[in-house]
Amino acid sequence: MKIEGLYKHFLYTPTGFLPVWEEGSGLLGLLPKERVLMELADLSVADREFTRIPEDYLVREIPESLLGYFQKQRTIPILNSFGEKKDEWDKPRLMAELSRSSWVVEQEEKRTSSPENSAEDRAKQSQWFTEVILQNFPDGLLATDLDGHTVFYNETFESEVLPRKWFRDSILQAEKLLKEMSKDLLGNYLKAHELRLDEGKISVQTFVADLECLVRVSVLRQKGKPLGYLYHFSPVGTKLSGADGEGSEFPSVTEAFSQKLPLETMLKEVEGSYIYHTLKRNQENVSHAALDLGVPRTTLQNRIKFLDLGSRFKLSKDQPIPRKKAGKPAPPKKPQPAPKAVLQEPKSKSGSKKRAPNPKKKSASKKKTKGK
């Protein structure tokens, strides 16, 4: 293994650090791109071969740029101690390995045991860990101040909730609509319970059909004073899913009734779940699933598209619905007119054409015979 072999791993990813992991030992450290470039520029070291990544190349501190990398990227390459690409981890897996690694634990123990700035370090660590949890929260989260201006939102809200038609992928549109919604919800709740905004914990929820989500609005407070609002967007399917005797997920009617969901939404969830399990039973073969369901194949295709089952249930990438062939269809052939019949004059026995009798001449000959 040469230095240039390590540098090639950085060509396929924008990160400045690559985690180095070993079976049994866990996370050994982080390989910085800057160190590899320095060694690569040194001609005396460039041709040197290594059996393992030198330990002095690795850093054992968590840089902020590594956590910021996951704002635009989903996974990060992982190297083994021999400089080979071992796997690709997402952010939760990396955070779990960091929390288990011995060098991170040692650093944390030193920080907590040192009397100087220990309280400040613990506060920073707690704040950092809270941000990590919020970023990886499976549902969409959005926090605003009392005036409705956005203070925080996580990746799930940005990627799955904000692009929907109601918000039109605009944070300003989202602020406007959510402010109006929370004003009506909280106003009605406070009026019905004879409360004020600064009294106790207040949380209300509603179903937004345009988002197909249950939205819970909670009042954020600090030292008894309201600071803003937290919006929690949870998909209807996660709230309705239950388990029957066979372990299959199926919408819970009791949960839907308690959430006061519209009938149309409940019917969509029931139909989508039933079609999904039928597709799974038939290895996602649409033709076979249509036979089991007793519907035409085209009808099932249309329902899969309408219910958006491909993205909701993460069906196979092989496209269970076959696509039509590209290209313009051939124009239909025009029917050719039938050939016109040609009238032919009858021929005499000698082969000459017979002339049709003239009615005028016939009448004239009759008059002559009468005169005689």
Side-chain angles (χ1 to χ4, degrees):
M1 174 185 61
K2 293 184 178 181
I3 296 296
E4 60 181 15
L6 295 176
Y7 177 67
K8 287 180 181 179
H9 295 297
F10 288 98
L11 297 177
Y12 302 102
T13 177
T15 184
F17 296 86
L18 288 177
V20 181
W21 183 84
E22 189 176 51
E23 189 75 31
S25 301
L27 202 60
L28 302 179
L30 304 174
L31 178 65
K33 181 179 179 180
E34 184 179 358
R35 178 61 186 269
V36 174
L37 288 174
M38 289 176 57
E39 299 296 331
L40 193 62
D42 189 352
L43 298 179
S44 62
V45 183
D47 294 333
R48 181 182 170 189
E49 293 193 3
F50 303 90
T51 55
R52 298 168 60 93
I53 298 177
E55 291 190 5
D56 57 340
Y57 285 12
L58 304 179
V59 296
R60 291 178 173 84
E61 292 183 359
I62 307 173
E64 294 183 1
S65 61
L66 180 64
L67 301 178
Y69 162 84
F70 285 96
Q71 294 180 359
K72 294 183 179 180
Q73 306 293 328
R74 294 294 180 186
T75 58
I76 187 170
I78 304 298
L79 305 182
N80 60 14
S81 58
F82 301 101
E84 301 169 344
K85 182 180 175 182
K86 180 71 176 177
D87 199 357
E88 287 197 359
W89 290 350
D90 54 10
K91 193 173 181 179
R93 173 71 189 279
L94 177 63
M95 300 307 303
E97 292 293 336
L98 284 172
S99 64
R100 285 195 292 263
S101 61
S102 58
W103 50 277
V104 174
V105 174
E106 291 176 1
Q107 289 179 2
E108 184 62 24
E109 290 177 352
K110 290 180 180 179
R111 288 177 182 177
T112 54
S113 60
S114 59
E116 299 179 359
N117 300 328
S118 59
E120 183 179 355
D121 290 342
R122 284 195 298 270
K124 288 182 179 179
Q125 181 71 11
S126 176
Q127 182 180 1
W128 167 79
F129 196 70
T130 303
E131 292 178 357
V132 171
I133 294 174
L134 292 176
Q135 287 292 343
N136 291 278
F137 196 72
D139 295 341
L141 296 175
L142 172 74
T144 68
D145 56 18
L146 292 175
D147 295 327
H149 302 301
T150 302
V151 178
F152 165 84
Y153 57 84
N154 64 352
E155 293 179 4
T156 308
F157 173 81
E158 183 180 10
S159 60
E160 298 182 10
V161 182
L162 190 61
R164 300 189 181 182
K165 292 182 180 179
W166 202 48
F167 290 153
R168 300 199 299 266
D169 207 6
S170 169
I171 194 67
L172 297 177
Q173 177 76 358
E175 290 175 351
K176 176 183 175 182
L177 295 175
L178 292 176
K179 184 178 180 180
E180 295 174 356
M181 184 188 73
S182 61
K183 181 179 178 181
D184 295 337
L185 284 175
L186 293 172
N188 295 333
Y189 180 82
L190 296 174
K191 184 178 179 180
H193 294 79
E194 297 181 357
L195 296 174
R196 295 181 304 174
L197 196 63
D198 56 352
E199 293 181 2
K201 295 181 179 181
I202 299 175
S203 179
V204 293
Q205 74 175 14
T206 184
F207 173 73
V208 181
D210 293 325
L211 297 176
E212 295 184 354
C213 285
L214 288 169
V215 183
R216 178 177 290 277
V217 186
S218 302
V219 180
L220 299 176
R221 313 165 60 81
Q222 187 177 30
K223 296 181 180 180
K225 294 182 179 181
L227 295 179
Y229 308 105
L230 176 66
Y231 299 90
H232 177 194
F233 304 85
S234 56
V236 176
T238 59
K239 291 292 183 181
L240 297 180
S241 61
D244 58 12
E246 298 179 356
S248 299
E249 292 183 358
F250 201 79
S252 170
V253 179
T254 305
E255 186 69 24
F257 186 76
S258 64
Q259 300 294 344
K260 298 180 180 180
L261 296 180
L263 176 62
E264 183 181 359
T265 302
M266 184 60 185
L267 292 176
K268 284 183 180 179
E269 291 298 321
V270 173
E271 184 182 6
S273 178
Y274 198 73
I275 291 176
Y276 166 72
H277 289 296
T278 306
L279 286 169
K280 282 296 182 184
R281 184 173 59 192
N282 290 277
Q283 288 77 42
E284 300 188 14
N285 187 299
V286 179
S287 299
H288 295 172
L291 289 175
D292 283 359
L293 294 171
V295 297
R297 186 174 185 274
T298 54
T299 301
L300 180 56
Q301 289 178 342
N302 293 333
R303 298 309 296 172
I304 292 173
K305 291 179 181 178
F306 175 75
L307 298 170
D308 195 20
L309 300 186
S311 59
R312 284 176 55 194
F313 292 104
K314 296 181 180 180
L315 295 175
S316 173
K317 296 181 180 179
D318 297 336
Q319 293 293 338
I321 305 174
R323 299 179 178 178
K324 294 181 179 179
K325 293 182 179 180
K328 296 181 179 179
K333 295 182 179 180
K334 295 182 179 180
Q336 296 181 356
K340 296 181 179 179
V342 180
L343 296 176
Q344 295 182 354
E345 296 180 357
K347 296 182 180 181
S348 61
K349 293 181 180 180
S350 60
S352 60
K353 295 181 180 179
K354 289 185 178 181
R355 294 184 179 179
N358 193 342
K360 291 183 178 181
K361 289 184 177 181
K362 190 174 181 181
S363 60
S365 61
K366 286 182 179 180
K367 287 181 180 181
K368 288 180 179 180
T369 53
K370 285 182 180 181
K372 289 179 179 180

